[in-house]
Amino acid sequence: MYFPSWLSQLYKGLSRPIRRTTQPIWGSLYRSLVQSSQRTNPEFNSFAVRTNTCGELRSSHLGQEVTLCGWIQYRRQNTFLVLRDFHGLVQVVIPQDESAASVKKILCEAPVESVVRVSGTVTSRPAGQENPKMPTGKIEIKVKTAELLNACKKLPFEIKDFMKKTEALRLQYRYLDLRSFQMQYNLRLRSQMVMKMREYLCNLHGFVDIETPTLFKRTPGGAKEFLVPSREPGKFYSLPQSPQQFKQLLMVGGLDRYFQVARCYRDEGSRPDRQPEFTQIDIEMSFVDQTGIQSLIEGLLQYSWPNDKDPVVVPFPTVTFTEALATYGTDKPDTRFGMKIIDISDVFRNTEIGFLQDALSKPHGTVKAICIPEGAKYLKRKDIESIRKFAADHFNQEILPVFLNANRNWNSPVANFIMESQRLELIRLMDTQEEDVVLLTAGEHSKACSLLGKLRLECADLLETRGMVLRDPTLFSFLWVVDFPLFLPKEENPRELESAHHPFTAPHPSDIHLLYTEPKKARSQHYDLVLNGNEIGGGSIRIHNAELQRYILATLLKEDVKILSHLLQALDYGAPPHGGIALGLDRLICLVTGSPSIRDVIAFPKSFRGHDLMSNAPDSIPPEELKPYHIRVSWPTDSKAERAH
Amino acid sequence: MYFPSWLSQLYKGLSRPIRRTTQPIWGSLYRSLVQSSQRTNPEFNSFAVRTNTCGELRSSHLGQEVTLCGWIQYRRQNTFLVLRDFHGLVQVVIPQDESAASVKKILCEAPVESVVRVSGTVTSRPAGQENPKMPTGKIEIKVKTAELLNACKKLPFEIKDFMKKTEALRLQYRYLDLRSFQMQYNLRLRSQMVMKMREYLCNLHGFVDIETPTLFKRTPGGAKEFLVPSREPGKFYSLPQSPQQFKQLLMVGGLDRYFQVARCYRDEGSRPDRQPEFTQIDIEMSFVDQTGIQSLIEGLLQYSWPNDKDPVVVPFPTVTFTEALATYGTDKPDTRFGMKIIDISDVFRNTEIGFLQDALSKPHGTVKAICIPEGAKYLKRKDIESIRKFAADHFNQEILPVFLNANRNWNSPVANFIMESQRLELIRLMDTQEEDVVLLTAGEHSKACSLLGKLRLECADLLETRGMVLRDPTLFSFLWVVDFPLFLPKEENPRELESAHHPFTAPHPSDIHLLYTEPKKARSQHYDLVLNGNEIGGGSIRIHNAELQRYILATLLKEDVKILSHLLQALDYGAPPHGGIALGLDRLICLVTGSPSIRDVIAFPKSFRGHDLMSNAPDSIPPEELKPYHIRVSWPTDSKAERAH
């Protein structure tokens, strides 16, 4: 058996996970495995010097001679010890008779977390000593021989306490942290989900798994690409951020349906929940449109979804980028709950409230609001104050809280200027209940929406910390966001354009003419997949016409097309229409397992500063090892930067 | 259907592959897929804007309305065109009636290799026009609508001629080269074999697929590791040559059974058949011994082997390193043929031949020989001369050719000194036939063996070019080589030791005492897997005892143990006994497909100088992009080295 459901019991006894959402249900992997195409359980004892795993033994094994290998979890008064492997725990009886003195000595002297091999007989526990909470709780092992395979030195802390320790300590002793059931569960679930994805893509739909290079050439604007010096003076490889060019070239090469579980690299310096290297499920296919890719991905997630969770319902809902901004104030809405942004401009056309009047008198002025359910009950006066301060500090916006229960209009004298008719219209438009609070702001559309989008999430968190169940922790809410703009004004020079996603994204078929007149207004065939408010994937239909690609790169984006001459040439030689997508595997598994950080679903993650705290990478290199690469270190001259060696 | 067997027919008509061994049999993937655990054929048309692939249409589709997408392979007199996709070819009838003038125009004007979509009806070809060599040869498509999806510019050469072009040209236009059936076959076979390996490891035997970092810390003596500058002055990541440390740490972390299709990096400069990045099937498990790993791998290859080839027979034979050297003169013997090295020292104890006398009078002197079957028939006088010259030039050794047919002793006057009794004993020992030639040499054991090992391979190639069938082209001959030495003398200072493989390799259990007395003589628990004379994998049981590991690193190898302190510490904290292996995937697939180079089984390989000829990587980097990494280029000062920009 794989991950029997009792592991959840065991798990609860061991440690409390740092998690915001659901507890993992340990039966999931076992069940999903049983229902996979393989339909047989894996054989965990093949090729090994044990006969059984610790966790698999049951009353059905009574009388069997078994050999087990595992770690000493704990020992009780030199009479019992509990042996652990990845599969679970089992009780081992230490023999007390004189003839077994050497076995007793080994088992009593080995420190906790030492590795031992024991052979013996599976027997029933004496009546009254069964442990119903332990899956192996009806049996125990009468040991005949024992061998100390490796003694353990005193640990820096107990395995079961790992989750309570600082992340830095966990990363430093990652090999110990990995022994926790939480990490074992996360990594095994990841392996299983990816295997199911491969079955779906490769076996069901004829995709070809193709490995693409990671030592490549820099891409235009690839400022976030790691460099790899070569042995040719002044020549560098780059570690690409994605196999984007390669997958398009594969389509030109007639490899129709490509996928890869691709390692990607992005040097963003320190970011709390990003990794310098990460993994994406990278997919591309020819002769496909946007709905084709969307259906493919919906099927993929449905097929690979862990069986202990509610099945994925398809098709996923779709909103346009414009709708998403207007309704949720973000392009990655968390649709597990309501509190949508509502335009209430019409309610206040004749208002006497100054800042509303001001806003509405301007060309694009609007009044917007969100409704906080039971806000009057859950929010405190200081919450409202900090909301207003946040709006003022970060958005230079005013927030007007409106309590529908007239007795509770503390802290909002302006609200007294709201007429009864306006109040009734507000209640109707926003479908509010007596204890709700409406947060109202006014100003330019996108700014007002952005602010309310932020407040919507902040208030949701706040309500939940106060005890409201707003988001069902078992709910996975997928959403497609489509019809993004093709270009955005450059931050450093708003009169120039940059690609909203990447320069290979095809324009929306209805908007191609805009490229030559008002490119800013052109929409793209880009689509994002959002799960519970997190972007977990994105893709697009690509440009397959060389002329159009050249026009966009050279004329609109003013890029150096020489760097991409191979791609442009490829488009000239019979490139099929094609499109694709990439799913962020680390983030997806993080959400599925309910982990607080992607570092909990990666075996050896880097710290948020990009360090490997276990081995101390990156590290200094002796100057002679730099010579073959024709590089020298430019030590910073300012006094603050100390030399590393 | 996947890869129907007619593709082999088609393939023959298209291009002649550059290959030394067998032709691929195109039915292989189809059959292996059908027999996989999935047991259904993949659906190649799901999510796409076509109803069928070009290659799948048969008489059973007659009357069906179909939509096809593909490349124009060729056109015949504006009446037919042949459309191609990855699946095969189909004949399309260009409509001639006036009402279909626009369709005719599209199909007649589109250049070859343009991409089109056509819709129409599957009809029988007129009697007498069937093409039995073409799987779709009984049908054709009566087109109703056509759309030019992308026009193709004039190609640098025809797709079917690709295999005849220089490799540099093929690599420059890789996206065109990929359209050849040979490349399609190679990459699809690779994907399928890896998928089967995953099924075996993950679904059948409970291995966990775990991704390990590629941005890591340099390893001791890691002179072949690419460096990746970080944003911290003077600090570098290294791209590891294998996940060796990580997989051992996973074992310490209780992740029992690990595998990964791992990207690895090795900067060896220019090597004809190596890649700076390559892929290995990386495996590690706990509580296992050498025979356990060997059985695992035998099962893995048996399970994933293409079904059109002879099944893999297990267990594989095993020879020791010492036997391999003595019998084949190499640690990676090609066991598809005999011509073993035989020690014939005893035959010549009383010889009058000077160089044999000399050799045998020395302490470790031997006389060795190999027998060239039908050598008197196939080898020419100048072959024997060049063999003798090779031996003299490269090994400073003499070679004595002995013809058993006494009339043919040209060029070997010394042979007249061989007595009749010696000749008879030689015939008995070496089991020679009348037309055979014996090549005889004398000297120190390992030198004599190395020379004869080289000559054995050279002569085998020679015999085959002369028409002898020595090695069955359908034969895959696996061999384990075991009991390697643990250490070798350092090349630059033979009094110091270096690891024969890597410093984590466990010593042979019988030889542990030798570590403290005569470490040079200690054998290891390393094993190599050899296929047809190529090393395709290697692994070992690892050291799990921290003290032993420290002794070997610090005392015997004189390495700086600080770089590995995390690993040594991990061994102290309850490391289980463990071992593993890595298979070189590129080389394995290269052998299975009978490709002349690993570049034929990699989608986007680097040239032998490490260049990507398509995109021109590695490339120059603007100095300002080096700044964040605190490095500068050290331009070589010698006049020969020209600046790259």
Side-chain angles (χ1 to χ4, degrees):
Chain A
M1 288 216 291
Y2 199 53
F3 252 127
S5 57
W6 53 263
L7 273 181
S8 63
Q9 300 292 331
L10 181 65
Y11 165 85
K12 279 177 200 159
L14 281 177
S15 72
R16 196 85 211 145
I18 312 155
R19 53 212 333 278
R20 280 163 40 203
T21 57
T22 61
Q23 291 269 344
I25 297 160
W26 294 99
S28 114
L29 274 172
Y30 171 61
R31 282 203 295 277
S32 69
L33 197 84
V34 168
Q35 292 180 26
S36 82
S37 62
Q38 200 49 51
R39 279 171 221 288
T40 52
N41 292 340
E43 172 50 76
F44 287 112
N45 303 306
S46 49
F47 315 116
V49 298
R50 65 184 174 222
T51 60
N52 296 80
T53 59
C54 295
E56 72 175 307
L57 296 171
R58 296 291 182 278
S59 295
S60 58
H61 296 87
L62 282 177
Q64 286 187 15
E65 297 293 315
V66 297
T67 298
L68 307 175
C69 297
W71 285 259
I72 297 175
Q73 176 90 357
Y74 55 86
R75 184 166 32 229
R76 214 180 292 141
Q77 296 139 9
N78 287 352
T79 54
F80 295 108
L81 59 82
V82 170
L83 205 59
R84 186 195 72 236
D85 62 17
F86 73 94
H87 207 173
L89 304 175
V90 71
Q91 180 163 293
V92 167
V93 185
I94 302 175
Q96 303 296 325
D97 43 320
E98 198 55 42
S99 65
S102 65
V103 173
K104 183 177 180 182
K105 186 174 154 66
I106 287 169
L107 296 180
C108 290
E109 290 182 0
V112 163
E113 289 300 318
S114 293
V115 190
V116 295
R117 176 164 59 181
V118 298
S119 293
T121 316
V122 182
T123 58
S124 279
R125 293 200 189 184
Q129 293 187 24
E130 299 91 347
N131 182 351
K133 287 187 188 164
M134 199 173 169
T136 62
K138 288 187 176 168
I139 60 101
E140 59 190 10
I141 310 297
K142 291 260 179 283
V143 172
K144 287 172 187 157
T145 64
E147 187 186 348
L148 176 64
L149 297 175
N150 210 356
C152 182
K153 282 201 177 168
K154 181 149 174 47
L155 292 178
F157 33 77
E158 283 188 62
I159 301 293
K160 62 175 177 152
D161 289 337
F162 247 105
M163 284 289 176
K164 299 178 201 162
K165 300 293 170 183
T166 65
E167 192 175 52
L169 206 63
R170 287 176 56 203
L171 291 179
Q172 187 188 342
Y173 295 98
R174 189 58 161 184
Y175 44 87
L176 296 179
D177 192 25
L178 290 175
R179 289 184 196 165
S180 69
F181 278 113
Q182 182 70 60
M183 282 306 304
Q184 293 269 335
Y185 172 81
N186 290 355
L187 293 179
R188 282 166 198 273
L189 180 124
R190 180 177 178 134
S191 169
Q192 285 295 304
M193 265 191 86
V194 171
M195 188 66 197
K196 297 282 286 177
M197 288 181 182
R198 292 178 180 281
E199 287 173 15
Y200 175 86
L201 291 168
C202 196
N203 295 349
L204 296 189
H205 293 289
F207 281 74
V208 187
D209 180 5
I210 300 176
E211 299 171 67
T212 58
T214 56
L215 293 174
F216 193 48
K217 176 183 167 132
R218 74 191 177 99
T219 44
K224 289 174 179 172
E225 285 173 352
F226 285 103
L227 298 175
V228 182
S230 79
R231 286 171 191 255
E232 287 174 68
K235 300 275 181 143
F236 293 80
Y237 298 104
S238 287
L239 298 176
Q241 291 190 39
S242 88
Q244 183 62 34
Q245 289 187 47
F246 291 113
K247 65 186 193 172
Q248 294 195 239
L249 291 167
L250 287 173
M251 296 304 113
V252 182
L255 280 148
D256 221 32
R257 293 166 169 241
Y258 144 90
F259 86 100
Q260 183 181 196
V261 182
R263 188 70 57 90
C264 304
Y265 300 86
R266 196 185 295 143
D267 181 16
E268 299 186 298
S270 303
R271 287 281 211 97
D273 221 25
R274 294 267 178 112
Q275 283 282 307
E277 50 186 319
F278 57 98
T279 303
Q280 63 188 37
I281 308 289
D282 199 50
I283 291 172
E284 194 83 7
M285 64 183 283
S286 296
F287 311 117
V288 70
D289 57 17
Q290 183 164 323
T291 56
I293 297 285
Q294 288 176 336
S295 303
L296 169 77
I297 295 303
E298 287 163 356
L300 175 77
L301 287 164
Q302 198 171 41
Y303 185 85
S304 60
W305 205 246
N307 289 35
D308 69 322
K309 311 219 181 294
D310 291 341
V312 170
V313 178
V314 300
F316 302 154
T318 298
V319 296
T320 66
F321 172 78
T322 310
E323 286 163 7
L325 279 195
T327 315
Y328 301 100
T330 173
D331 60 358
K332 43 182 183 180
D334 186 345
T335 48
R336 285 175 297 177
F337 66 103
M339 294 170 57
K340 294 180 184 177
I341 301 168
I342 313 241
D343 190 306
I344 50 170
S345 305
D346 288 344
V347 181
F348 292 99
R349 292 283 170 216
N350 305 312
T351 187
E352 292 168 28
I353 303 172
F355 83 98
L356 299 184
Q357 262 183 353
D358 277 3
L360 286 173
S361 66
K362 286 177 188 150
H364 297 287
T366 62
V367 182
K368 308 268 185 187
I370 55 173
C371 170
I372 316 293
E374 301 184 70
K377 184 172 147 200
Y378 285 102
L379 297 191
K380 298 174 184 168
R381 181 181 293 252
K382 74 168 171 50
D383 297 329
I384 299 289
E385 275 159 22
S386 66
I387 285 167
R388 300 186 77 166
K389 186 169 182 324
F390 173 85
D393 292 353
H394 293 88
F395 289 79
N396 193 25
Q397 287 272 118
E398 266 199 81
I399 283 286
L400 179 65
V402 180
F403 290 77
L404 296 163
N405 182 332
N407 302 329
R408 309 277 298 268
N409 264 352
W410 32 258
N411 204 27
S412 176
V414 186
N416 296 331
F417 290 91
I418 296 177
M419 292 176 292
E420 187 56 21
S421 65
Q422 289 171 334
R423 189 188 299 269
L424 288 175
E425 184 59 8
L426 211 54
I427 290 174
R428 192 188 65 79
L429 270 176
M430 305 206 57
D431 192 22
T432 51
Q433 309 295 317
E434 170 122 0
E435 291 287 310
D436 294 353
V437 174
V438 169
L439 296 183
L440 188 153
T441 193
E444 189 267 319
H445 170 80
S446 66
K447 201 172 163 190
C449 289
S450 291
L451 167 60
L452 290 178
K454 282 260 189 297
L455 292 181
R456 176 177 175 268
L457 293 175
E458 291 291 326
C459 291
D461 287 348
L462 202 56
L463 291 173
E464 285 185 336
T465 59
R466 299 278 154 79
M468 179 187 277
V469 180
L470 191 67
R471 290 171 284 207
D472 177 354
T474 68
L475 191 66
F476 289 91
S477 188
F478 289 97
L479 179 75
W480 290 110
V481 182
V482 301
D483 290 356
F484 282 82
L486 187 56
F487 304 108
L488 294 173
K490 269 191 189 167
E491 257 183 49
E492 58 278 20
N493 180 0
R495 271 180 299 180
E496 288 181 12
L497 295 178
E498 64 184 9
S499 295
H501 294 94
H502 59 59
F504 316 116
T505 310
H508 196 287
S510 324
D511 293 359
I512 290 178
H513 64 283
L514 292 173
L515 295 180
Y516 305 94
T517 54
E518 294 177 285
K520 261 188 205 173
K521 288 195 177 165
R523 291 165 301 163
S524 72
Q525 293 191 67
H526 179 94
Y527 28 84
D528 266 356
L529 182 58
V530 173
L531 171 58
N532 293 355
N534 298 274
E535 184 201 321
I536 59 159
S540 59
I541 301 302
R542 327 295 185 187
I543 297 167
H544 63 273
N545 179 293
E547 277 319 300
L548 179 59
Q549 184 68 78
R550 224 172 254 124
Y551 174 74
I552 287 180
L553 281 170
T555 308
L556 297 182
L557 297 173
K558 314 212 185 307
E559 291 284 359
D560 176 6
V561 291
K562 265 186 223 151
I563 302 183
L564 288 171
S565 59
H566 55 286
L567 190 76
L568 288 164
Q569 197 172 38
L571 295 184
D572 265 335
Y573 288 140
H578 60 286
I581 195 167
L583 302 181
L585 183 63
D586 305 304
R587 189 165 303 277
L588 174 64
I589 303 290
C590 181
L591 291 168
V592 172
T593 58
S595 300
S597 156
I598 58 168
R599 290 185 284 279
D600 290 319
V601 298
I602 295 172
F604 297 101
K606 303 278 189 297
S607 77
F608 81 97
R609 291 187 58 212
H611 288 191
D612 180 311
L613 299 180
M614 182 182 64
S615 73
N616 190 32
D619 202 3
S620 308
I621 296 284
E624 66 271 19
E625 290 187 22
L626 298 179
K627 270 188 195 157
Y629 298 107
H630 308 281
I631 54 169
R632 271 181 305 168
V633 175
S634 301
W635 295 103
T637 46
D638 63 302
S639 56
K640 278 180 198 165
E642 283 173 40
R643 289 218 175 189
H645 62 182
Chain B
M1 291 214 290
Y2 199 54
F3 253 126
S5 57
W6 53 263
L7 274 181
S8 61
Q9 301 293 330
L10 180 65
Y11 165 85
K12 279 178 199 157
L14 280 177
S15 71
R16 195 87 212 142
I18 311 158
R19 51 209 337 276
R20 278 164 40 205
T21 57
T22 60
Q23 290 270 343
I25 297 162
W26 293 100
S28 112
L29 274 171
Y30 172 60
R31 282 204 294 278
S32 72
L33 197 85
V34 168
Q35 293 181 25
S36 82
S37 62
Q38 201 48 50
R39 280 172 219 288
T40 54
N41 292 340
E43 173 49 76
F44 287 112
N45 303 306
S46 49
F47 316 116
V49 297
R50 67 183 171 221
T51 60
N52 295 80
T53 60
C54 296
E56 72 175 305
L57 296 173
R58 297 290 183 279
S59 296
S60 58
H61 296 87
L62 282 177
Q64 287 187 17
E65 296 293 316
V66 298
T67 298
L68 308 175
C69 297
W71 285 260
I72 297 176
Q73 176 90 357
Y74 56 86
R75 184 166 29 229
R76 216 181 289 143
Q77 297 140 7
N78 287 351
T79 53
F80 296 108
L81 61 80
V82 171
L83 204 61
R84 185 195 72 234
D85 63 15
F86 74 94
H87 208 175
L89 304 176
V90 72
Q91 180 164 291
V92 168
V93 184
I94 302 175
Q96 303 296 326
D97 43 317
E98 199 55 44
S99 65
S102 66
V103 172
K104 183 176 179 183
K105 187 175 153 69
I106 287 170
L107 295 181
C108 290
E109 290 182 0
V112 164
E113 291 299 319
S114 293
V115 189
V116 295
R117 176 164 58 182
V118 298
S119 293
T121 316
V122 181
T123 57
S124 279
R125 295 201 188 183
Q129 292 187 23
E130 299 92 346
N131 182 351
K133 287 187 186 163
M134 200 170 166
T136 63
K138 288 188 178 166
I139 61 101
E140 58 190 10
I141 310 297
K142 290 260 179 283
V143 172
K144 288 174 187 154
T145 63
E147 187 186 347
L148 177 64
L149 297 175
N150 209 355
C152 182
K153 283 201 177 168
K154 180 148 176 51
L155 293 179
F157 34 78
E158 284 190 59
I159 301 293
K160 61 175 177 150
D161 290 338
F162 247 105
M163 283 289 175
K164 299 179 202 160
K165 301 291 170 186
T166 65
E167 193 174 52
L169 204 64
R170 289 176 56 202
L171 290 180
Q172 187 189 339
Y173 295 99
R174 189 59 161 184
Y175 43 87
L176 296 179
D177 192 26
L178 290 175
R179 290 185 196 164
S180 70
F181 277 112
Q182 181 70 61
M183 283 306 304
Q184 293 268 335
Y185 172 81
N186 290 355
L187 294 178
R188 283 166 198 272
L189 180 125
R190 180 178 177 133
S191 169
Q192 286 294 302
M193 264 190 87
V194 171
M195 188 66 196
K196 296 282 286 178
M197 288 181 182
R198 292 178 180 280
E199 287 174 14
Y200 175 87
L201 290 167
C202 196
N203 294 350
L204 297 189
H205 294 288
F207 280 74
V208 187
D209 180 4
I210 300 175
E211 299 170 68
T212 58
T214 55
L215 293 173
F216 192 47
K217 176 184 167 132
R218 76 191 174 100
T219 43
K224 290 174 178 173
E225 286 174 353
F226 285 102
L227 298 176
V228 182
S230 79
R231 287 173 189 254
E232 286 174 68
K235 300 273 182 147
F236 294 80
Y237 298 104
S238 288
L239 298 176
Q241 293 190 36
S242 88
Q244 184 62 36
Q245 289 187 47
F246 290 112
K247 65 187 193 170
Q248 294 194 238
L249 291 165
L250 287 172
M251 295 305 112
V252 182
L255 279 148
D256 221 33
R257 292 165 171 242
Y258 144 89
F259 86 101
Q260 183 181 196
V261 181
R263 189 69 57 91
C264 303
Y265 301 85
R266 196 185 294 144
D267 181 15
E268 299 185 298
S270 303
R271 287 279 212 100
D273 221 26
R274 294 268 178 109
Q275 283 282 308
E277 51 185 320
F278 57 97
T279 304
Q280 64 188 34
I281 309 289
D282 199 50
I283 292 173
E284 195 82 6
M285 63 182 286
S286 296
F287 312 118
V288 69
D289 58 17
Q290 185 164 323
T291 56
I293 297 285
Q294 288 176 334
S295 304
L296 170 76
I297 294 303
E298 287 162 357
L300 175 77
L301 288 165
Q302 198 170 42
Y303 186 85
S304 60
W305 205 246
N307 289 35
D308 68 323
K309 311 217 182 295
D310 290 340
V312 170
V313 178
V314 299
F316 302 153
T318 297
V319 296
T320 66
F321 172 77
T322 310
E323 285 162 9
L325 279 195
T327 313
Y328 301 98
T330 173
D331 60 357
K332 43 181 182 180
D334 186 344
T335 47
R336 286 175 296 176
F337 65 104
M339 293 171 58
K340 294 180 184 177
I341 302 167
I342 311 236
D343 190 305
I344 49 170
S345 306
D346 287 346
V347 180
F348 293 98
R349 291 285 170 215
N350 304 313
T351 187
E352 291 168 29
I353 302 171
F355 83 97
L356 300 184
Q357 263 183 354
D358 276 5
L360 288 172
S361 67
K362 286 177 187 149
H364 296 287
T366 61
V367 182
K368 307 266 184 189
I370 56 172
C371 171
I372 316 293
E374 300 184 70
K377 185 172 144 197
Y378 284 102
L379 297 192
K380 297 175 184 165
R381 182 180 294 252
K382 74 167 171 46
D383 297 329
I384 299 290
E385 274 159 23
S386 68
I387 285 168
R388 299 186 76 167
K389 187 167 181 328
F390 174 85
D393 292 354
H394 292 88
F395 288 80
N396 194 25
Q397 285 272 119
E398 265 199 82
I399 283 286
L400 179 64
V402 178
F403 289 76
L404 296 163
N405 182 331
N407 304 329
R408 310 273 300 265
N409 265 352
W410 32 259
N411 204 28
S412 177
V414 187
N416 296 329
F417 291 91
I418 297 177
M419 292 176 291
E420 187 56 23
S421 63
Q422 289 171 334
R423 190 187 299 270
L424 289 174
E425 183 61 7
L426 210 54
I427 291 174
R428 192 188 65 77
L429 269 179
M430 304 205 59
D431 193 22
T432 51
Q433 308 295 316
E434 171 125 356
E435 290 288 308
D436 295 353
V437 173
V438 169
L439 297 182
L440 188 153
T441 194
E444 189 266 319
H445 170 81
S446 68
K447 201 172 164 191
C449 289
S450 290
L451 167 59
L452 290 178
K454 281 258 188 299
L455 292 182
R456 177 177 174 267
L457 293 175
E458 290 291 326
C459 290
D461 286 348
L462 203 56
L463 291 173
E464 286 184 337
T465 59
R466 300 278 152 81
M468 181 188 272
V469 181
L470 190 68
R471 290 172 284 206
D472 177 355
T474 68
L475 191 66
F476 289 92
S477 186
F478 289 98
L479 179 74
W480 289 109
V481 182
V482 301
D483 291 356
F484 282 81
L486 187 54
F487 304 109
L488 294 174
K490 268 191 190 168
E491 258 182 48
E492 59 278 19
N493 180 359
R495 272 180 301 182
E496 286 182 14
L497 294 179
E498 64 184 11
S499 296
H501 294 93
H502 59 59
F504 316 117
T505 310
H508 196 288
S510 324
D511 293 358
I512 291 178
H513 64 283
L514 291 174
L515 296 180
Y516 305 93
T517 53
E518 295 176 285
K520 263 188 204 175
K521 289 196 177 165
R523 290 165 302 163
S524 72
Q525 292 190 67
H526 179 93
Y527 29 84
D528 266 357
L529 182 58
V530 172
L531 171 57
N532 294 356
N534 298 275
E535 185 200 319
I536 59 160
S540 59
I541 301 302
R542 327 296 184 184
I543 297 166
H544 63 272
N545 178 294
E547 278 320 298
L548 178 59
Q549 184 69 75
R550 224 171 255 123
Y551 174 73
I552 286 179
L553 281 171
T555 309
L556 296 183
L557 298 172
K558 315 213 183 306
E559 290 282 4
D560 176 6
V561 291
K562 264 185 223 152
I563 303 185
L564 288 171
S565 59
H566 54 286
L567 190 77
L568 287 165
Q569 198 173 37
L571 296 183
D572 266 333
Y573 287 139
H578 60 287
I581 194 166
L583 301 182
L585 183 63
D586 305 303
R587 190 166 302 277
L588 174 63
I589 303 291
C590 181
L591 291 169
V592 172
T593 58
S595 300
S597 155
I598 59 167
R599 289 185 285 279
D600 290 319
V601 298
I602 295 171
F604 298 100
K606 303 277 190 297
S607 77
F608 80 96
R609 290 186 60 209
H611 288 192
D612 181 311
L613 299 180
M614 183 181 64
S615 73
N616 191 31
D619 202 3
S620 308
I621 296 284
E624 66 270 21
E625 289 187 23
L626 298 179
K627 269 189 195 157
Y629 298 108
H630 308 280
I631 54 170
R632 269 183 304 169
V633 176
S634 301
W635 296 101
T637 46
D638 64 302
S639 56
K640 278 180 200 167
E642 282 172 39
R643 289 218 175 189
H645 63 183

